[in-house]
Amino acid sequence: MEPLKDNTVEPELPYYEPVGSECELFRLAWERHLPLLLKGPTGCGKTRFVSHMAARLGRPLFTVACHDDLTAADLTGRYLLQDGETRWVDGPLTRAVREGGICYLDEVVEARKDVTVVLHPLTDDRRVLPLERTGEMLAAPPEFMLVVSYNPGYQDILKSLKPSTRQRFVALDVDFPPPELECDIVAQESGLPRERCAALVNLAARLRAMRGQDLEEGVSTRLLIYCATLMQAGMPVLEAARSTLVSPLTDDDDVQEGLMEAIRATFG
Ligand code: ADP
C-alpha cells in the first residue's frame, strides 16, 4: 500500500459488503447528528457494519455489549480508588462524547432501565450527557453519534424497546444478506471455495424456514462462517454442521434431530 504524505499508512477498513443503501443512510445520520437504531437478528452483520462505518468516517468506536446487569454508571463512568486516591474514570459513552466518537450499544434492551435516562438527552436536539456524579453537563460535539441495536425477533415483550425511546432514533431494518452476497461473505471470511459456501447458504435458507416455536433463532451468517471455517480446516461437513448450525441453536434433542435431517438431505 502507498504510504500517505505524512508517512502514516492508511488503515484498512473492516471488511463489509453493503446489502443496500445502509452506508449512505449511516453517513447521512452521522452528518446530521441523528442517532441510529439497527433492528435485526443476531449474527447478521450489525457490529461489522458499525465498525466499518466508524473507520470510514475516521471516528473512534466505543462498543458496549449490553447485558441485564449493565447500569448507567457502566456507560457514564464512576469514581474509582487508584493509588490511594479517588479518581473519576469515564465510561465508554462519556469517552465517545468527549472524543467525538461513535458509541455502539449492542442489544440495548438488555440493559437496566436507568440507561435510558442517560440516553434520552443525548438523542434529542439537546445532545447533552449529564454526569450527575461530577456535576458536569457534557455537550456532544458534532462528530459524536449514538448507535444502538436490538433484536426484535426475541419473543419476550418485556425485552422490547419502549416507544418513547425508539421514537428518538432513525431506524434501519437489517437482516441476513441475500444468498449471493452471503455466499461471497462466507467465502471471504472462511477461505472455503465459493461453490461449497453456496451449498451452505442454501442449507441456511432451509434451516431458517424451520425457525418457529421450537427454535427461537435462525442460523446466523456468523454460524455459517464458523461452519465454513471448520470445513476449510478439513472437518467433515456433517460434523462441522452439527457443532455450528445445530448445537448452538437448541438443546432439544428432537429439534436437533430435525435440523440434522435437513442437513443430511442437503449433504447426504
Ligand atoms: P451482529 O452484530 O449482527 O450480531 P456481526 O457483525 O458480528 O453480527 O456479524 C457476524 C459476522 O458475519 C461478522 O463477523 C462478519 O464476518 C460476517 N458478516 C455479516 N454480514 C456481513 C457483511 N454484510 N459484510 C461482511 N461481513 C459480514
Side-chain angles (χ1 to χ4, degrees):
M1 192 179 290
E2 283 288 308
L4 298 178
K5 277 201 190 97
D6 63 357
N7 284 338
T8 57
V9 175
E10 194 173 2
E12 247 183 61
L13 293 178
Y15 165 67
Y16 180 73
E17 294 278 358
V19 175
S21 53
E22 69 272 26
C23 298
E24 290 72 23
L25 176 73
F26 192 109
R27 175 183 285 278
L28 214 53
W30 176 73
E31 283 171 358
R32 300 298 158 103
H33 317 143
L34 302 173
L36 186 64
L37 163 64
L38 304 176
K39 291 163 62 180
T42 180
C44 76
K46 299 184 294 295
T47 306
R48 179 64 65 88
F49 171 51
V50 177
S51 56
H52 172 83
M53 288 309 299
R56 257 170 89 165
L57 298 170
R59 305 314 311 160
L61 175 63
F62 299 85
T63 298
V64 183
C66 299
H67 52 80
D68 50 12
D69 273 340
L70 188 104
T71 62
D74 293 321
L75 295 179
T76 53
R78 48 171 54 94
Y79 284 105
L80 293 178
L81 197 61
Q82 282 180 342
D83 306 326
E85 264 184 70
T86 313
R87 285 215 191 102
W88 172 261
V89 179
D90 283 341
L93 180 63
T94 307
R95 285 193 61 195
V97 171
R98 284 198 210 275
E99 296 175 33
I102 293 173
C103 186
Y104 174 46
L105 306 180
D106 189 13
E107 288 296 342
V108 69
V109 283
E110 296 291 334
R112 295 265 189 99
K113 294 284 164 276
D114 66 340
V115 163
T116 50
V117 177
V118 296
L119 296 188
H120 278 197
L122 266 180
T123 49
D124 53 35
D125 50 10
R126 289 173 286 172
R127 289 192 28 114
V128 291
L129 176 63
L131 297 180
E132 246 176 58
R133 293 296 192 82
T134 64
E136 279 175 284
M137 179 70 85
L138 292 184
E143 297 84 2
F144 168 79
M145 181 182 190
L146 179 67
V147 183
V148 303
S149 75
Y150 93 110
N151 181 348
Y154 287 138
Q155 306 294 318
D156 189 350
I157 189 76
L158 292 172
K159 287 272 167 76
S160 194
L161 265 192
K162 282 201 309 187
S164 57
T165 303
R166 58 194 290 163
Q167 293 215 12
R168 292 164 172 271
F169 290 86
V170 172
L172 178 65
D173 283 291
V174 283
D175 206 343
F176 302 118
E180 284 295 307
L181 202 61
E182 193 166 41
C183 209
D184 291 342
I185 294 166
V186 175
Q188 166 72 30
E189 296 281 85
S190 68
L192 191 71
R194 204 176 181 284
E195 346 44 276
R196 300 191 74 197
C197 295
L200 272 181
V201 168
N202 283 337
L203 170 66
R206 299 178 70 171
L207 299 182
R208 282 171 190 159
M210 292 167 72
R211 181 173 168 261
Q213 283 182 334
D214 292 333
L215 209 55
E216 198 170 7
E217 291 263 274
V219 53
S220 64
T221 307
R222 180 190 296 120
L223 288 176
L224 285 184
I225 294 168
Y226 287 175
C227 188
T229 303
L230 294 182
M231 286 165 66
Q232 175 64 3
M235 189 181 266
V237 58
L238 293 184
E239 246 176 83
R242 182 182 286 281
S243 353
T244 56
L245 310 181
V246 176
S247 200
L249 290 186
T250 175
D251 300 323
D252 185 308
D253 289 343
D254 291 338
V255 182
Q256 286 206 0
E257 193 39 45
L259 292 172
M260 279 310 293
E261 252 173 48
I263 292 168
R264 280 189 218 103
T266 306
F267 289 104

